[in-house]
C-alpha cells in the first residue's frame, strides 16, 4: 500500500491524498485478488512432486467408462469441433502414411478407419496390408465394427482387419511379441506402423 507521508491542512491536498490512498488500496486489492485467484486455480496440493505418486484409473474403470461413452464418443473426439480445430485434416494426413502391418492402439470407435490408405496388392508397401485394432472397451469396438461395415471405403479382400480386446498398459507384449502363442503368425513379432 502506498501512503502519502506528508500531512496537509489544505482540503485539496487532503482530497488528493485520499484519492491516492484509495487508488493504491484498489490496486493492491486487485493484485491480491489475482494472486489469490491464481493460487485457487492451481493449488499447490495439485502439483505433483517426485515423492507424491499419481494414480491413474484402473483398467476396469477405463473399460467401464469407455463402454458408457461409446455411443456418443465420436461427438467428443470427432465431429465439427475436431474439424474446426484441424484435427480431422491432421489425422487424415498422418494416417495416409501408415504402411504394411498396422497396429492401432486405443482404436476406440474407429474414427481412423476411413482415413487409412490400403495397399494396392498383398505384398505392396504402398498402404496398409493388415490392420489390428486394439481397445480395452467392447463397447468402443462394437462401434468401430459397425463403422467399418457402414463406411464407404473399399477395404481389399487381402487386408485382414482384426479387433483385439486388450489393456494396452499390460497386454501388448504378451499378445504380440515374437514368442507369443496367443496370436497367429501374422501379428507375431512386429508391425510396420503403430498408431496410438
Amino acid at each position: 500500500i502506498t501512503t502519502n507521508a506528508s500531512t496537509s491542512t489544505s482540503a485539496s491536498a487532503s482530497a488528493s491524498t485520499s484519492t491516492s490512498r484509495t487508488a493504491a488500496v484498489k490496486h493492491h486489492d486487485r493484485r491480491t485478488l489475482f494472486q489469490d485467484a491464481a493460487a485457487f486455480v492451481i493449488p499447490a496440493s495439485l502439483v505433483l512432486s517426485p515423492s507424491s505418486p499419481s494414480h491413474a484409473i484402473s483398467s476396469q474403470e477405463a473399460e467401464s467408462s469407455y463402454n458408457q461413452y461409446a455411443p456418443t464418443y465420436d461427438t467428443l473426439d470427432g465431429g465439427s469441433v475436431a474439424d474446426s480445430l484441424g484435427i480431422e485434416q491432421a489425422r487424415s494426413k498422418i494416417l495416409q502414411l501408415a504402411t504394411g502391418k498396422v497396429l492401432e492402439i486405443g482404436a476406440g470407435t474407429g474414427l481412423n478407419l476411413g482415413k487409412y490408405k490400403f495397399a494396392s496388392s498383398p505384398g505392396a508397401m504402398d498402404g496398409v496390408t493388415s490392420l489390428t485394432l486394439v481397445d480395452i472397451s467392447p463397447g468402443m469396438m462394437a462401434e468401430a465394427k459397425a463403422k467399418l461395415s457402414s463406411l464407404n471405403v473399399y477395404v481389399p479382400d487381402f487386408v485382414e482387419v482384426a479387433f483385439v480386446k486388450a489393456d494396452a498398459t499390460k497386454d501388448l507384449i504378451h499378445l504380440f511379441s515374437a514368442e507369443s502363442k496367443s496370436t497367429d503368425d501374422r501379428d507375431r513379432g512386429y508391425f510396420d506402423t503403430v498408431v496410438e
Side-chain angles (χ1 to χ4, degrees):
I1 295 175
T2 305
T3 58
N4 189 341
S6 66
T7 55
S8 172
T9 56
S10 146
S12 65
S14 179
S16 169
T17 301
S18 174
T19 303
S20 173
R21 284 187 185 150
T22 303
V25 169
K26 284 182 182 175
H27 174 72
H28 175 72
D29 288 344
R30 255 186 264 133
R31 186 173 355 145
T32 302
L33 178 66
F34 287 127
Q35 288 170 345
D36 290 345
F40 178 76
V41 172
I42 307 170
S45 63
L46 293 181
V47 177
L48 298 176
S49 68
S51 63
S52 65
S54 173
H55 299 284
I57 63 173
S58 71
S59 298
Q60 294 80 14
E61 291 169 322
E63 180 178 344
S64 175
S65 293
Y66 282 113
N67 282 338
Q68 182 180 11
Y69 299 132
T72 58
Y73 188 80
D74 286 1
T75 58
L76 173 67
D77 195 32
S80 61
V81 173
D83 277 339
S84 67
L85 295 173
I87 294 171
E88 289 301 311
Q89 183 180 11
R91 185 183 305 213
S92 292
K93 284 182 180 180
I94 291 169
L95 291 171
Q96 291 290 305
L97 301 174
T99 58
K101 292 172 38 174
V102 175
L103 171 65
E104 183 175 336
I105 302 168
T109 61
L111 282 172
N112 293 339
L113 288 172
K115 296 170 178 47
Y116 286 109
K117 176 182 155 198
F118 294 100
S120 58
S121 66
M125 288 298 285
D126 60 349
V128 175
T129 56
S130 75
L131 181 59
T132 302
L133 303 154
V134 175
D135 203 278
I136 195 169
S137 165
M140 296 291 253
M141 286 193 298
E143 295 289 326
K145 288 175 184 177
K147 189 171 287 159
L148 182 62
S149 66
S150 69
L151 279 175
N152 193 17
V153 174
Y154 173 70
V155 180
D157 291 335
F158 63 84
V159 175
E160 183 178 347
V161 179
F163 291 87
V164 179
K165 182 193 180 300
D167 180 348
T169 65
K170 60 183 177 185
D171 295 336
L172 297 182
I173 292 174
H174 167 72
L175 288 172
F176 301 116
S177 70
E179 296 80 30
S180 175
K181 303 294 183 219
S182 62
T183 58
D184 61 27
D185 289 335
R186 177 185 66 86
D187 291 331
R188 200 171 304 146
Y190 78 95
F191 288 90
D192 299 300
T193 308
V194 175
V195 178
E196 181 181 22

